[in-house]
Amino acid sequence: MGDVKASGRDKQPSLSRSLGLTLALLYGLGVTIGAGIYVLIAPAVARAGMHAPISFILAAPIMAPSAASFAEPCSPLPWAAGAATYVRVGLRSNVLALVVGLMVVAAAIISAATVSRGSAGYIQVFLPMPLDVIVVGVALLMAAITAWGILQSVAIAGLMTVIEIVGLLMIAIVGAANVPDIAARLPEAWEGLSDTTAWTGIMGTVLLAFFAFTGFEGLANIAEEVKDPARTLPRAIFLTLALVTLLYVIVVWMALLAVPLEELGATAAPLSLVFERATGGSPEVITAISIVATMNGVVVFMVMGSRVLYGMSVQKLLPEVLGRINATTRTPLHATGLVAAATLLLAVCFPIEQLAESTARLTLIIFAFVNAALIKMKIDRVSAPPEAFIVRPWVPVEGLATSLALLLAEFVYG
């Protein structure tokens, strides 16, 4: 396997291995849900209309093989900078590892910027201030939480995740009680699929839906801070993917039935509008939950980006300063500061849909490299511990094929 970890750092403070399955799962759910359904319902509906649930259903199986490809190397390579580490070992290239690692960091930063703008849209419901001013405040506050400590930041993110899941369940339950003909209108989701125009909208939305599912791969980047990563991380990855698929399809369908398409596609606070129309009540509670959910997404993406910078520094792919751990917080403060500054810059300069699409494209390229790396590991018979999660050889092949196919489809239909 080679010496992946850099030597000579034994005297430096190390990351704290303090996260069990519950907090790891909440981290995965937090980064996925906060970055997805609370922010992207409106642009998804604007593109695909009543076919939007199909886009989310198509995105889930596209993610599954790549999820498995991220889960297997967690056992033999349980270190920060997961994707970059996998590529370095599998493809035996420091250059490719650096490129992939920087793409992961870029995706995390762009995602944090995306969700910062989404959070600001909800905050404006309560606080009528310029959007960019709110974005700056959100990014700085979440950066401070990220720098505080991994147990503290993930525990706070975990609490936020519970709150955001409660919000989605509220929409599903209250909507089911107040929106008529939920089941009877299901055929509308697949009416008109023989029309090429419908598929153009669906495939154009799949990339946004794909972004809504991204997040599980971030679990590989906190591997050095997870207890028993060989068992914990694969379980957290697959539980995250299964739970968010169920939640997304239910909530998207409920939104489509509760609010006219044109109105839903144009709003900056979609779930607040859905709750108001489905219940006839005040949207303040669900708006507050949406703020918590989106802020949570910012925290977990900042954690992801900073840990990848740290991991690549430890592997001597980036300057040593980014790998320094503060003795008090046990977090990489220099790396966190860099991620926060870049997040602020992007969040105030680009619209949310453009940011989301850029993240999705980067993530697909990263997935392709990780699947290719696992294919090469299997060819080279890289050893793994007995308790390791192992996938069949065809799984990374399918993951590579689906990632490349979605990139091609986005080029054709985008």
Side-chain angles (χ1 to χ4, degrees):
M1 182 183 309
D3 180 19
V4 179
K5 294 283 281 181
S7 60
R9 300 268 179 125
D10 294 341
K11 295 182 180 180
Q12 296 283 349
S14 61
L15 296 174
S16 174
R17 196 175 287 281
S18 54
L19 306 180
L21 176 60
T22 300
L23 284 178
L25 175 59
L26 288 174
Y27 175 88
L29 289 172
V31 70
T32 304
I33 295 172
I37 204 70
Y38 278 90
V39 174
L40 293 177
I41 280 185
V45 168
R47 289 187 179 190
M50 297 301 291
H51 299 131
I54 295 177
S55 298
F56 284 87
I57 292 171
L58 289 175
I62 290 173
M63 300 291 270
S66 293
S69 293
F70 270 89
E72 178 171 328
C74 289
S75 296
L77 305 170
W79 302 310
T85 301
Y86 304 162
V87 169
R88 184 182 183 193
V89 174
L91 301 181
R92 301 179 184 276
S93 171
N94 286 344
V95 173
L96 287 179
L98 177 61
V99 170
V100 170
L102 292 177
M103 284 194 292
V104 173
V105 174
I109 290 170
I110 297 170
S111 297
T114 304
V115 186
S116 294
R117 292 193 68 86
S119 182
Y122 284 107
I123 292 173
Q124 277 188 315
V125 175
F126 295 115
L127 192 63
M129 294 177 62
L131 184 70
D132 287 345
V133 173
I134 299 175
V135 166
V136 171
V138 168
L140 290 177
L141 176 60
M142 296 306 102
I145 292 175
T146 303
W148 184 12
I150 186 62
L151 184 59
Q152 292 87 347
S153 58
V154 174
I156 291 172
L159 177 60
M160 290 181 176
T161 299
V162 172
I163 293 172
E164 68 189 44
I165 291 174
V166 168
L168 294 181
L169 292 176
M170 283 176 57
I171 290 173
I173 294 169
V174 174
N178 291 276
V179 178
D181 304 326
I182 292 175
R185 293 185 63 183
L186 278 174
E188 294 181 35
W190 54 81
E191 284 179 357
L193 291 183
S194 59
D195 188 350
T196 303
T197 303
W199 280 105
T200 300
I202 290 170
M203 294 309 298
T205 309
V206 165
L207 195 67
L208 288 177
F210 179 87
F211 173 80
F213 280 99
T214 59
F216 67 82
E217 74 280 0
L219 286 161
N221 298 316
I222 61 169
E224 287 189 44
E225 295 160 289
V226 171
K227 302 172 185 176
D228 191 11
R231 291 170 56 85
T232 300
L233 290 177
R235 292 178 181 180
I237 286 172
F238 289 115
L239 284 171
T240 296
L241 188 58
L243 290 173
V244 298
T245 300
L246 179 63
L247 282 171
Y248 282 3
V249 173
I250 292 173
V251 172
V252 169
W253 185 240
M254 197 64 61
L256 287 167
L257 298 185
V259 182
L261 293 180
E262 296 79 8
E263 196 172 354
L264 182 61
T267 181
L271 292 189
S272 299
L273 181 61
V274 170
F275 187 84
E276 182 180 11
R277 295 301 173 81
T279 66
S282 171
E284 291 183 357
V285 173
I286 199 68
T287 301
I289 291 174
S290 300
I291 292 170
V292 171
T294 48
M295 283 185 170
N296 184 27
V298 179
V299 171
V300 290
F301 277 122
M302 285 187 175
V303 169
M304 181 194 307
S306 62
R307 292 330 185 256
V308 175
L309 289 175
Y310 159 82
M312 289 197 295
S313 173
V314 169
Q315 296 178 38
K316 299 183 178 179
L317 298 174
L318 288 176
E320 183 179 351
V321 65
L322 295 174
R324 292 177 186 169
I325 300 296
N326 182 272
T328 302
T329 65
R330 300 284 292 276
T331 59
L333 292 185
H334 294 96
T336 301
L338 180 59
V339 168
T343 297
L344 270 173
L345 179 63
L346 292 179
V348 298
C349 293
F350 294 95
I352 193 169
E353 189 172 349
Q354 184 177 345
L355 290 168
E357 289 181 339
S358 298
T359 304
R361 294 186 188 101
L362 278 173
T363 303
L364 281 169
I365 297 170
I366 293 162
F367 282 9
F369 272 109
V370 168
N371 281 293
L374 184 56
I375 292 170
K376 188 64 165 59
M377 287 184 205
K378 288 185 174 296
I379 292 172
D380 293 342
R381 300 183 182 275
V382 173
S383 61
E387 70 274 14
F389 172 82
I390 302 296
V391 301
R392 298 286 186 179
W394 58 265
V395 172
V397 174
E398 182 176 340
L400 176 61
T402 53
S403 298
L404 295 176
L406 188 54
L407 276 171
L408 177 62
E410 193 277 331
F411 175 77
V412 173
Y413 291 101

